[in-house]
Amino acid sequence: MTYAIISDIHGNYDALSAVLGDIMRSRVDRVVCLGDIVGYGAEPGKCIAAVQGLDGWTVAGNHDHGAIGQLDPSYFNANARRACEWTAAVLSAADRRYLAALPLQRRIEDGDRRCIAVHSTPLRPEDWHYILSIDEAEYQFEQFGEPVCLVGHSHQPVFWQLSPAGECSIVGREYLRLEPGRRYIINAGSVGQPRDGDPRACYALCDGDRRELVIRRVEYDIGAAQKKILKAGLPPRLAERLAHGT
Ligand code: ZN
């Protein structure tokens, strides 16, 4: 089986449609979506419809919960809160029902291969913590039993590995070969608002049989996404940052 792992779309349909084109050409068996379908970008409804149409395995992110009133707005900074309120006002009742029904985490099994998918962290995903340091990654490895945990949330692709000796380290940000006996936390980056300095849309392709995972970067019409954000009256910073990948 081959998988596409997409995360943090954030209402950026221009980025999502470019990524879905790339996924179609890669003949993927299944799409895993790690949440934050909405928030920041100007086309949340179109992004929800597209993700729904994939019939993949999807979990909820903090912005998905924020847009349906399941997360206190004080959690967000000013721009994110403004985007959250704007998104809440434009979602349809069906969109809200869809987001409300998403689980916080999912266990995925493919033969003898198992993984867990979650937006933030395997321990208390509803607290929306970030995995940003080796110490945090090491602690989170103790909170799940599967060989692999897929996460999003930070908008930065990175692979953490736990060796059989219990040593935790970063083993790459672009290509990963999954070695037997080792465990991994894999951040697939962000489709709609990358924050690693590369403005291209980001997602991961995984070949389960070859035990390989690669981060893909896809060009898209950033100018079109920016114009829609400004036209919607969303904070200009949300448009500007797309050009820099920050
Ligand atoms: Zn996000």
Side-chain angles (χ1 to χ4, degrees):
M1 291 263 281
T2 56
Y3 304 90
I5 303 150
I6 61 176
S7 189
D8 295 274
I9 298 161
H10 283 293
N12 186 342
Y13 185 72
D14 294 288
L16 177 60
S17 54
V19 161
L20 292 181
D22 199 63
I23 288 173
M24 293 313 156
R25 288 187 289 278
S26 304
R27 299 180 174 280
V28 165
D29 294 306
R30 186 66 83 158
V31 177
V32 180
C33 176
L34 299 172
D36 276 6
I37 302 168
V38 305
Y40 298 133
E43 295 185 295
K46 277 176 92 168
C47 291
I48 290 174
V51 170
Q52 246 182 317
L54 295 171
D55 194 25
W57 292 318
T58 302
V59 296
N62 49 313
H63 284 259
D64 303 321
H65 275 195
I68 56 172
Q70 282 187 16
L71 179 59
D72 192 318
S74 66
Y75 166 89
F76 293 107
N77 67 36
N79 282 346
R81 191 158 60 238
R82 173 78 194 95
C84 185
E85 288 159 2
W86 181 89
T87 303
V90 300
L91 288 183
S92 70
D95 290 339
R96 279 196 288 277
R97 274 198 302 276
Y98 174 74
L99 294 180
L102 292 175
L104 281 172
Q105 58 180 24
R106 305 184 73 124
R107 293 195 151 73
I108 296 169
E109 285 194 35
D110 170 16
D112 61 343
R113 289 183 285 268
R114 293 175 302 126
C115 84
I116 180 169
V118 64
H119 182 70
S120 53
T121 53
L123 176 69
R124 295 197 304 274
E126 68 279 10
D127 288 351
W128 311 112
H129 288 307
Y130 291 87
I131 306 176
L132 294 172
S133 66
I134 295 285
D135 282 353
E136 184 63 35
E138 196 168 17
Y139 179 62
Q140 292 295 334
F141 271 116
E142 296 167 15
Q143 314 302 329
F144 65 100
E146 291 78 0
V148 174
C149 176
L150 305 173
V151 299
H153 201 33
S154 75
H155 299 205
Q156 297 179 340
V158 61
F159 316 135
W160 285 281
Q161 172 188 271
L162 191 70
S163 75
E167 254 173 70
C168 183
S169 59
I170 288 176
V171 286
R173 298 174 194 273
E174 292 174 2
Y175 171 82
L176 176 66
R177 182 159 168 81
L178 295 131
E179 305 286 353
R182 293 165 193 263
R183 297 174 66 222
Y184 300 91
I185 296 174
I186 294 167
N187 190 312
S190 167
V191 170
Q193 196 198 76
R195 294 179 191 162
D196 62 343
D198 184 340
R200 293 174 298 171
C202 180
Y203 78 101
L205 265 184
C206 179
D207 186 324
D209 300 324
R210 297 174 68 171
R211 302 183 64 85
E212 284 179 334
L213 184 137
V214 62
I215 293 291
R216 304 269 303 164
R217 302 306 289 240
V218 184
E219 304 264 2
Y220 75 97
D221 191 344
I222 293 174
Q226 290 177 310
K227 273 189 201 140
K228 289 169 193 168
I229 287 172
L230 296 174
K231 196 167 169 232
L234 286 157
R237 162 77 184 134
L238 300 180
E240 188 202 315
R241 67 189 305 173
L242 294 181
H244 310 294
T246 55

